[in-house]
Amino acid sequence: MPKARDPATSKADTTLGQRANKEVIRSRSPPPAVKKIRAAAIHEKNAIREQAIFQRAKAYAEMYENEEKEVQRLRKAAKEAGQFYVSPEPRLAFVVRIKGIMKIPPRPKKILQLLRLRQIHNGVFVKLSLPVIKMLRLVEPYVTYGYPDLRTVRELITKRGCARIGGQRVPITSNMLIEEHLGRYNIICVEDLVHEIYTVGPYFRECNRFLWTFKLAAPNGRPEKAALVAKSYTGPSSGWRTRKFKHFIQGGDTGNREDYINPLVRKMI
């Protein structure tokens, strides 16, 4: 019959083993002076990185302001000359799916899958080109789209933005996440990502694929009674119209709504 161990001896052995493990860990860890030097180096590196991000954001803000002033100058000059200022063709669109999965033919269903719009109230950025415009026209009864402004792009990425990492949906909570996956394209922060999407830069495709499909909420509010009678758009305070699945210009919500996509998306964020 095995001999029973003394509880006091077993406890002492355990204590000695724990002390030995702590000694091994302490011997492997660097001395305090080395830790202090490493912490100072990391702090200095982060400070330089934050300064670079600040300078980039400042440069982007100045660029957007100069572009706005140039547009105003051109409009004023055209008005003084008795002409009209025609804005350049938009290159960016935001598409939102507004119909579910029932009674959708195979071809539009496949296009919606290619656009990554698999669920109702999903939204994606697309670069406008002739093939993409043709695809959008084929799925117009099931989506609404328009041309987002800078504020809409920024709010979508900062408030609803998630990254696609290893097939998983990961919220964008820090610039380190962006730098880790898009740093090779010189995109290291949220402002870089917003700028690349808004201006449809050379790495738009990579940035757009990095972003997970936006999952939006249903727009709050209803049009006022007078607007319901007139079947007219009531601005940012309204949600879906009563005849939702008619075209936007016919008093519904589907199809191209151009700049009116901005108040709608802000209600859905």
Side-chain angles (χ1 to χ4, degrees), residues 15-29:
T15 305
L16 291 174
Q18 291 175 352
R19 289 178 181 175
N21 290 336
K22 290 181 180 179
E23 290 295 333
V24 171
I25 294 172
R26 191 179 294 111
S27 64
R28 291 178 180 176
S29 62

Side-chain angles (χ1 to χ4, degrees), residues 157-158 161-163 170-175 177-178 190 193 210-212:
I157 294 177
T158 55
C162 291
V170 180
I172 300 176
T173 55
S174 68
N175 291 325
L177 185 68
I178 298 174
V190 173
L193 185 59
F210 170 74
L211 291 172
W212 192 278

Side-chain angles (χ1 to χ4, degrees), residues 96-128:
V96 181
R97 179 168 177 171
I98 63 174
K99 183 174 172 56
I101 61 174
M102 302 300 292
K103 298 181 180 179
I104 299 181
R107 191 178 182 186
K109 187 175 182 180
K110 182 63 178 178
I111 294 175
L112 291 172
Q113 291 177 359
L114 292 175
L115 293 173
R116 299 185 297 161
L117 299 173
R118 297 179 177 271
Q119 297 176 339
I120 190 171
H121 298 157
N122 278 5
V124 292
F125 292 110
V126 295
K127 179 180 179 180
L128 290 177

